[in-house]
C-alpha cells in the first residue's frame, strides 16, 4: 500500500497543473481501490459550494458544471462534519441529493473523506460503487491516508492554477493571494526576483529565456562539460570496475544524448524557457517516471538522473553569475524557497522592497534581520509556487503575512494608501528621536537596539537608540566564506563600537547552530535547536572563542563601551568556563602591550533551565538579558522556524509571561541589572508588560523603536502595572494580547500596532 500511495503522490506532484493533477488523482484512486467511481469536489470558498473538478466513472460533461452547496448532499455532509462518511446505500440516505448530470443514480456504496490542508477544508474525495455494501476498514484507511497526503499537493496545484490564471491576466482575472506569517512589518510593492542556492535543482525558478539561441548554446556547453567529466571519471575507474559497472557510464552518456534528455531540454528552451528552468522540468519528469517503475533497479536510476541534472546546473550557474548583479530591478521583491541572511546581502539595499520565503517563520533569523533593516517580509508561504513568480508584480503585506501576485489596480491602490499611512506615522514619530522614553509619571526606560550589520547600526542611531543591547556577531560571520581573521573581526567590531560610542554596545559571542549555519562550518543534526548551538560550540572550540574575545577587546581600546554577552547558557559551568577564557583573552591582550578595560560580561536567559538559576547565574556576571525568542520556543516546545507550528509560537502565552516575570523578580532580589533583547521587547504591547514587570532596559529592532517609545511616553508606569496584574490572571495567549492591545487603543495608541487601527 505504501508503494501505491507514494507513487500516486509523486505522479500528482509532477502534474503540470491542477486539472492534470486531479485527473491523476481520480484515475489512480479508482484503479487502486477497484471502485467504479472516483471523484474530487473542490470547495470554492467565495461561492461556498463544492464543485465537481474531476471524475473517473461519472459523466465527464458534469466536470466543472455541477456543484453542491456547503451543506448540501453527502459531499456537503462530509465537508461540514470534516470526517469520513461511509454509506451502504447512498440514494436511500436522507441527505442524498441527486445530480442528474452526473449519472450517479446507479451507484449505491459511497465513501467520502474531507481533504484538509492546515485546517482549511479544500474539498472532498469520493469513491462509489454500484453494489450495496459498506467499504471496509482498509479501504477507509487508504482513502484517508491518500487524502491527507494529497491535501498539500492539491493546495500547491491550486495555487499554481491561480498564478497561471494571473499570468494570462485579463481585466477580469483575479489576483492570486498566498498566506504566510508576518516576518517584518510594512508593505512592499515590486517585481519578484526568485533566487535559489547553487546546485539546488529543485528550487530553480521558471523564467523566460531572453535570447533563445544563446540559452541553447549555454546549455550545450554545459552538456559537453558534463560528458567530458563522466568520461574522465570512467577512464580513471576503468581499471577497478567490472565491465557491467563500466557500462553504467555509457548509460549516463546515453541519457545525455542529443536525442534523449538533452533534446527535450532544448525543445523546452525553444518554447521560451530559460535553460535552468527547462532542465529542472525535464529532469523532474524523468525522475517521476523512474520512481514509479516497479523494478527496484530502474527506480534507483532516478537518483542518477537527479545527479546528472545537478551537474549540468552547476555548469549553467557558472555562466550565470556574471549577469547576477544586473538582475535586480529597482523595486525588487526577493523570493526564495529558503531565504538566508547571506542572500539579503546580495541585493543592493536601495532596490529591495520586500522579501518572501517559502520556509521559515517570523522568528527565523532572516526575519529578524529583515526587521532590523526595515524590509517588509512574509515568511512560511508554504503553498506559493515560488518557481513561477519570477518577474511578476507582487505585493508583500508584512503586517498580516500575505502576498499577492498580479494585483488588481484597486488592491494596489489600497496598499499604496497603507504604505503612505505608515510613512506619515514614521514621519510623525521622527520628532521623538532625541526625546527619552519616559512615562507620564516620570519613569525612565532606556530603549536600545539589536544590530547585526553596520547598516542597521547606522539606521539605529538615526532612530534615537541609546545603546546596543544585542549585536549578533554571527551575522558578519555568515557573510563570509571562511572564519574572519582577528584583524577582520576587530575592524567590524570597531565600526559598531565607534558608531555608538560613548553609548554601550553589547556584543554577543558567536551564536551559530540552530538555523544559523556558516557555509564553511556546516553542522548537520537531527535536532539542531537542541544541539550544538551558541556557547556549546564556542566552548568546544576555545581557539575561536579566544580569537573573537581578543578582537572585541582590541576593538574597544579607547572607547571602553564594550559589553560581552554569552548565548544559550544552560548551566553555571558554561559561564565559569567562558569567564575563564575571557579573563585569559584579556590577560593575553595586555601581554601584547594593549591596555584595555575589562568589559562587563552578561548571560542570556533563553533556555528554561536558566530561568530557574537566575541567582546562581546572576552572581557570576554583571548583567542578565533575556532572549525571549528562544525562551518562547523552548518553553512552548515550538520550533521558531517551522511555519506549521508558527501559530502556536506566542510570547503572550501565560507560561512565557510567568517565566519573564519570575526572571525579573529574581534578578531584582540579587540586585542584578535585568534587560531583554528578544523580539517581544519591540512589540508595543509586549514592551508595556515588560516595563511593568521590572525590566530595566528593552533592546529591540530599530524599526519598532519609535513606536515603542511613543507608547511608553503615552502611558504611566502605574497604569502598566495594573494592566499587568489583570493579564497575569488570564489563561489564554490570544486573549492576553487582545486585552493589552485594546487597552492601548482605548488611550489612543492603537496606531502603533499596525495600519488600520485607531
Ligand atoms: C533570542 O533568542 O531572543 C535572541 C535575542 O537571540 P536570537 O534571536 O539571535 O536567537
Ligand atoms: Mg537566542
Amino acid at each position: 500500500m505504501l508503494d501505491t500511495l507514494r507513487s500516486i503522490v509523486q505522479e500528482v506532484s509532477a502534474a503540470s497543473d491542477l486539472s492534470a493533477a486531479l485527473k491523476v488523482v481520480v484515475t489512480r484512486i479508482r484503479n487502486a481501490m477497484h471502485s467504479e467511481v472516483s471523484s474530487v469536489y473542490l470547495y470554492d470558498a467565495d461561492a461556498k459550494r463544492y464543485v465537481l473538478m474531476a471524475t473517473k466513472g461519472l459523466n465527464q460533461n458534469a466536470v466543472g458544471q455541477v456543484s453542491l452547496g456547503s451543506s448540501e448532499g453527502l459531499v456537503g455532509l462530509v465537508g461540514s462534519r470534516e470526517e469520513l462518511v461511509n454509506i451502504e446505500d447512498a440514494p436511500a440516505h436522507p441527505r442524498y441529493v441527486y445530480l442528474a448530470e452526473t449519472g450517479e443514480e446507479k451507484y449505491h456504496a459511497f465513501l467520502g473523506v474531507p481533504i484538509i490542508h492546515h485546517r482549511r477544508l479544500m474539498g472532498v474525495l469520493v469513491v462509489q460503487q454500484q453494489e450495496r455494501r459498506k467499504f471496509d476498514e482498509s479501504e477507509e484507511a487508504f482513502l484517508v491516508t491518500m487524502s491527507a497526503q494529497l491535501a498539500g499537493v492539491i493546495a500547491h496545484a491550486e495555487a499554481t492554477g491561480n498564478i497561471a490564471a494571473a499570468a494570462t491576466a485579463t481585466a477580469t482575472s483575479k489576483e492570486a493571494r498566498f498566506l504566510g506569517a508576518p516576518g517584518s512589518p510594512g508593505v512592499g510593492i515590486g517585481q519578484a526576483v526568485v533566487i535559489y542556492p547553487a546546485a539546488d535543482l529543485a528550487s530553480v525558478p521558471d523564467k523566460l529565456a531572453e535570447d533563445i539561441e544563446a540559452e541553447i548554446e549555454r546549455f550545450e556547453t554545459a552538456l559537453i562539460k558534463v560528458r567530458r567529466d563522466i568520461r574522465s571519471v570512467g577512464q580513471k575507474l576503468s581499471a577497478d570496475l567490472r565491465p557491467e559497472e563500466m557500462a553504467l557510464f555509457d548509460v549516463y552518456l546515453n541519457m545525455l544524448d542529443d536525442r534523449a534528455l538533452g533534446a527535450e531540454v532544448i525543445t523546452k528552451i525553444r518554447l521560451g524557457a530559460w535553460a535552468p528552468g527547462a532542465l529542472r522540468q525535464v529532469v523532474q519528469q524523468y525522475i517521476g517516471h523512474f520512481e514509479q517503475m516497479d523494478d527496484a533497479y530502474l527506480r534507483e536510476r532516478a537518483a542518477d538522473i537527479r545527479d546528472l541534472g545537478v551537474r549540468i546546473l552547476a555548469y549553467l550557474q557558472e555562466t550565470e553569475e556574471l549577469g547576477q548583479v544586473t538582475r535586480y530591478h529597482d523595486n525588487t521583491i526577493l523570493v526564495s524557497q529558503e531565504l538566508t541572511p547571506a542572500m539579503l546581502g546580495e541585493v543592493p539595499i536601495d532596490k529591495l522592497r520586500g522579501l518572501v520565503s517559502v520556509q521559515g517563520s517570523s522568528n527565523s533569523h532572516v526575519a529578524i534581520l529583515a526587521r532590523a533593516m526595515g524590509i517588509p517580509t512574509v515568511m512560511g508561504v508554504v503553498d506559493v509556487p515560488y518557481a513561477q513568480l519570477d518577474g511578476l508584480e507582487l505585493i508583500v503585506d508584512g503586517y498580516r503575512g500575505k502576498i499577492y501576485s498580479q494585483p488588481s489596480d484597486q488592491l494596489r491602490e489600497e496598499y499604496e494608501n497603507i504604505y503612505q499611512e505608515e510613512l506619515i506615522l514614521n514621519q510623525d514619530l521622527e520628532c521623538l528621536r532625541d526625546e527619552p522614553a519616559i512615562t507620564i509619571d516620570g519613569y525612565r526606560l532606556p530603549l536600545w537596539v539589536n544590530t547585526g550589520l553596520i547598516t542597521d547600526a547606522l539606521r539605529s542611531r538615526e532612530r534615537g537608540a541609546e545603546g546596543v543591547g544585542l549585536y549578533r556577531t554571527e551575522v558578519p560571520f555568515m557573510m563570509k566564506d571562511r572564519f574572519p581573521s582577528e584583524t577582520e573581526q576587530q575592524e567590524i567590531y570597531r565600526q559598531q563600537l565607534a558608531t555608538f560610542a560613548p553609548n554601550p554596545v553589547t556584543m554577543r559571542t558567536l551564536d551559530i547552530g540552530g538555523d544559523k549555519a556558516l557555509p564553511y562550518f556546516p553542522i548537520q543534526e537531527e535536532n539542531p535547536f537542541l544541539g550544538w548551538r551558541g556557547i556549546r560550540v564556542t566552548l568546544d572550540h576555545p581557539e575561536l572563542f579566544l580569537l573573537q574575545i581578543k578582537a572585541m577587546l582590541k576593538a574597544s581600546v579607547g572607547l571602553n563601551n564594550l559589553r560581552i554577552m554569552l548565548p544559550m547558557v544552560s548551566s553555571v559551568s558554561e559561564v565559569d568556563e567562558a569567564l575563564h577564557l575571557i579573563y585569559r583573552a584579556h590577560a593575553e591582550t595586555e601581554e601584547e602591550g594593549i591596555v584595555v578595560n575589562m568589559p562587563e560580561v552578561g548571560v542570556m536567559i533563553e533556555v528554561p533551565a536558566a530561568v530557574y538559576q537566575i541567582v546562581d547565574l546572576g552572581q557570576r556576571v554583571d548583567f542578565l538579558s533575556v532572549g525571549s525568542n528562544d525562551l518562547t520556543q523552548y518553553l512552548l516546545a515550538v520550533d521558531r522556524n517551522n511555519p506549521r507550528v508558527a501559530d502556536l509560537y506566542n510570547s503572550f502565552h501565560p507560561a512565557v509571561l510567568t517565566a519573564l516575570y519570575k526572571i525579573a523578580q529574581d534578578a531584582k532580589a540579587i540586585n542584578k541589572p535585568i534587560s531583554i533583547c528578544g523580539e517581544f521587547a519591540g512589540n508595543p504591547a509586549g514592551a508595556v508588560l515588560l516595563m511593568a514587570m521590572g525590566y530595566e532596559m528593552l533592546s529591540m529592532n530599530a524599526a519598532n523603536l519609535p513606536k515603542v517609545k511613543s507608547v511608553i511616553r503615552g502611558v504611566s508606569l502605574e497604569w502598566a502595572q495594573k494592566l499587568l496584574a489583570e493579564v497575569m490572571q488570564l489563561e489564554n495567549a490570544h486573549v492576553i494580547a487582545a486585552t493589552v492591545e485594546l487597552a492601548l487603543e482605548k488611550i489612543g495608541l492603537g496606531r502603533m500596532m499596525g495600519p488600520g487601527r485607531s
Side-chain angles (χ1 to χ4, degrees):
M1 165 154 146
L2 206 54
D3 278 350
T4 316
L5 278 168
R6 195 179 297 138
S7 96
I8 296 181
V9 171
Q10 266 162 5
E11 201 180 329
V12 175
S13 310
S16 55
D17 58 30
L18 180 63
S19 147
L22 296 181
K23 271 191 197 132
V24 175
V25 169
V26 291
T27 312
R28 296 288 314 261
I29 289 183
R30 190 176 80 152
N31 293 347
M33 293 185 69
H34 307 294
S35 65
E36 283 147 1
V37 176
S38 158
S39 317
V40 176
Y41 295 80
L42 287 192
Y43 188 61
D44 179 341
D46 291 337
K48 295 198 170 43
R49 294 188 77 79
Y50 296 94
V51 183
L52 176 66
M53 294 296 287
T55 184
K56 202 78 197 162
L58 298 183
N59 192 343
Q60 287 305 317
N61 296 336
V63 171
Q65 301 303 316
V66 299
S67 68
L68 287 153
S70 58
S71 52
E72 203 181 351
L74 295 176
V75 167
L77 182 68
V78 175
S80 56
R81 286 174 43 178
E82 296 197 336
E83 62 181 359
L84 168 153
V85 169
N86 186 355
I87 297 170
E88 195 175 334
D89 187 5
H93 193 279
R95 290 288 293 269
Y96 181 77
V97 171
Y98 171 54
L99 298 169
E101 302 90 325
T102 62
E104 68 173 337
E105 63 278 11
K106 53 182 182 284
Y107 301 107
H108 292 275
F110 172 101
L111 176 63
V113 298
I115 309 168
I116 298 175
H117 180 58
H118 291 303
R119 298 191 182 193
R120 184 162 74 92
L121 179 71
M122 314 267 323
V124 175
L125 204 54
V126 174
V127 291
Q128 291 170 283
Q129 254 178 328
Q130 292 198 24
E131 188 190 342
R132 280 187 181 77
R133 70 164 184 111
K134 272 219 163 194
F135 285 89
D136 68 26
E137 268 188 22
S138 68
E139 289 167 316
E140 285 185 352
F142 179 82
L143 205 61
V144 167
T145 317
M146 198 72 255
S147 162
Q149 289 216 24
L150 286 175
V153 184
I154 292 177
H156 193 81
E158 192 187 61
T160 315
N162 281 348
I163 289 286
T168 53
T170 62
T172 53
S173 79
K174 60 177 180 181
E175 67 257 338
R177 187 194 68 176
F178 306 95
L179 295 179
S184 168
V187 167
I189 304 175
Q191 211 174 339
V193 175
V194 180
I195 58 168
Y196 59 104
D200 182 359
L201 191 63
S203 55
V204 168
D206 287 332
K207 290 188 193 195
L208 292 180
E210 277 167 24
D211 176 343
I212 289 184
E213 290 311 319
E215 212 55 14
I216 291 177
E217 199 184 314
R218 194 157 83 93
F219 174 68
E220 283 178 335
T221 313
L223 218 51
I224 291 170
K225 289 183 179 165
V226 174
R227 277 204 203 98
R228 184 198 59 199
D229 290 353
I230 293 174
R231 278 200 198 97
S232 96
V233 174
Q235 273 158 13
K236 274 193 209 133
L237 295 178
S238 58
D240 303 321
L241 293 181
R242 294 194 304 271
E244 61 272 27
E245 288 163 340
M246 276 304 293
L248 257 185
F249 289 93
D250 291 332
V251 174
Y252 289 161
L253 290 171
N254 287 342
M255 282 178 187
L256 295 176
D257 198 310
D258 294 340
R259 287 176 305 279
L261 184 142
E264 287 184 44
V265 175
I266 290 173
T267 307
K268 288 213 187 281
I269 300 176
R270 287 218 182 280
L271 290 171
W274 76 318
L279 176 70
R280 192 208 71 230
Q281 291 172 23
V282 173
V283 168
Q284 278 178 344
Q285 271 168 15
Y286 269 68
I287 291 174
H289 288 314
F290 276 105
E291 283 181 340
Q292 275 166 42
M293 300 208 174
D294 290 329
D295 182 286
Y297 172 81
L298 287 175
R299 263 205 313 272
E300 277 168 25
R301 301 285 66 78
D304 298 336
I305 293 277
R306 190 176 287 116
D307 177 58
L308 282 179
V310 170
R311 283 166 190 272
I312 302 171
L313 180 68
Y315 281 119
L316 284 175
Q317 283 176 326
E318 268 184 12
T319 45
E320 215 175 283
E321 264 163 315
L322 292 173
Q324 286 210 342
V325 243
T326 53
R327 281 189 340 190
Y328 299 109
H329 318 286
D330 284 344
N331 50 357
T332 290
I333 307 274
L334 202 62
V335 179
S336 184
Q337 156 75 358
E338 183 157 19
L339 275 182
T340 62
M343 284 177 181
L344 297 196
E346 284 189 22
V347 194
I349 183 84
D350 56 320
K351 295 188 169 189
L352 198 53
R353 297 286 174 274
L355 300 170
V356 176
S357 182
V358 177
Q359 296 294 319
S361 79
S362 330
N363 312 295
S364 308
H365 282 94
V366 72
I368 291 175
L369 265 185
R371 288 198 281 276
M373 293 162 78
I375 307 162
T377 300
V378 178
M379 301 290 295
V381 202
V382 283
D383 293 327
V384 75
Y386 66 94
Q388 295 171 23
L389 291 183
D390 200 80
L392 295 190
E393 186 184 8
L394 286 189
I395 293 179
V396 174
D397 178 346
Y399 297 108
R400 300 181 189 86
K402 291 180 188 167
I403 64 168
Y404 298 87
S405 67
Q406 303 289 81
S408 62
D409 293 345
Q410 188 196 347
L411 189 78
R412 190 182 312 103
E413 203 181 310
E414 270 174 39
Y415 273 100
E416 270 161 7
N417 290 341
I418 296 178
Y419 179 79
Q420 291 303 331
E421 202 184 302
E422 186 73 3
L423 218 55
I424 294 168
L425 174 63
N426 284 333
Q427 277 160 7
D428 290 353
L429 292 176
E430 245 170 49
C431 61
L432 294 182
R433 195 194 118 140
D434 298 317
E435 300 296 326
I438 188 161
T439 61
I440 42 189
D441 50 356
Y443 178 74
R444 173 98 170 79
L445 180 68
L447 301 185
W448 293 15
V449 274
N450 299 344
T451 61
L453 300 163
I454 192 65
T455 41
D456 50 57
L458 295 169
R459 206 174 118 91
S460 307
R461 285 255 64 173
E462 283 164 24
R463 301 245 163 170
E466 300 167 67
V468 175
L470 166 63
Y471 168 54
R472 292 183 165 93
T473 58
E474 59 279 3
V475 176
F477 276 66
M478 286 178 190
M479 306 290 176
K480 293 230 175 291
D481 53 11
R482 54 171 172 75
F483 282 112
S485 68
E486 185 182 314
T487 325
E488 281 172 330
Q489 289 189 44
Q490 193 181 325
E491 272 168 26
I492 300 168
Y493 302 157
R494 181 81 187 177
Q495 270 188 318
Q496 285 279 334
L497 292 163
T499 305
F500 282 88
N503 292 348
V505 174
T506 314
M507 299 202 159
R508 175 171 72 183
T509 60
L510 191 64
D511 184 19
I512 51 170
D515 68 336
K516 287 181 290 193
L518 299 178
Y520 46 91
F521 189 67
I523 303 175
Q524 295 292 345
E525 291 176 315
E526 284 276 311
N527 254 323
F529 277 114
L530 298 183
W532 207 41
R533 256 200 96 181
I535 192 99
R536 301 172 183 180
V537 178
T538 46
L539 287 180
D540 286 350
H541 278 281
E543 78 288 8
L544 296 178
F545 190 78
L546 286 166
L547 191 96
Q548 185 176 39
I549 302 290
K550 280 193 202 167
M552 288 178 181
L553 292 172
K554 290 178 188 172
S556 76
V557 171
L559 298 172
N560 297 326
N561 59 341
L562 168 68
R563 307 192 330 153
I564 294 179
M565 186 159 77
L566 309 171
M568 257 313 264
V569 167
S570 55
S571 62
V572 291
S573 58
E574 289 164 337
V575 180
D576 292 337
E577 279 179 60
L579 282 172
H580 173 75
L581 290 171
I582 294 172
Y583 287 125
R584 199 176 121 191
H586 185 251
E588 286 175 9
T589 307
E590 293 211 315
E591 275 164 26
E592 288 179 42
I594 301 167
V595 183
V596 57
N597 287 1
M598 179 67 196
E600 287 191 344
V601 178
V603 163
M604 286 190 80
I605 307 298
E606 50 182 355
V607 173
V611 176
Y612 298 98
Q613 282 201 290
I614 294 297
V615 174
D616 304 315
L617 293 167
Q619 277 164 349
R620 287 170 157 77
V621 290
D622 303 300
F623 65 93
L624 298 170
S625 179
V626 176
S628 57
N629 305 336
D630 277 315
L631 188 59
T632 304
Q633 118 160 311
Y634 293 126
L635 279 175
L636 302 182
V638 174
D639 178 349
R640 62 193 272 185
N641 215 22
N642 182 344
R644 277 204 197 128
V645 288
D647 286 349
L648 300 176
Y649 184 102
N650 192 333
S651 298
F652 287 99
H653 191 293
V656 179
L657 293 184
T658 307
L660 290 171
Y661 207 176
K662 173 184 160 47
I663 296 167
Q665 286 169 332
D666 289 358
K668 281 256 145 67
I670 55 164
N671 241 339
K672 205 50 62 174
I674 178 74
S675 57
I676 177 161
C677 58
E679 292 294 301
F680 196 44
N683 176 327
V688 166
L689 298 182
L690 292 166
M691 174 179 74
M693 287 179 187
Y695 282 86
E696 296 153 16
M697 178 270 278
L698 311 183
S699 188
M700 65 200 67
N701 68 69
N704 279 19
L705 192 136
K707 289 178 189 160
V708 171
K709 190 187 272 187
S710 168
V711 166
I712 298 298
R713 289 172 62 87
V715 301
S716 71
L717 178 60
E718 197 191 339
W719 178 89
Q721 284 167 337
K722 273 199 194 126
L723 184 62
L724 175 67
E726 189 188 326
V727 301
M728 290 308 285
Q729 304 300 318
L730 302 174
E731 55 193 16
N732 178 308
H734 298 288
V735 177
I736 295 176
T739 306
V740 182
E741 285 172 13
L742 201 67
L744 287 170
E745 251 172 51
K746 271 196 197 147
I747 55 171
L749 292 169
R751 216 176 147 216
M752 302 304 148
M753 280 165 312
R757 303 180 77 138
S758 50

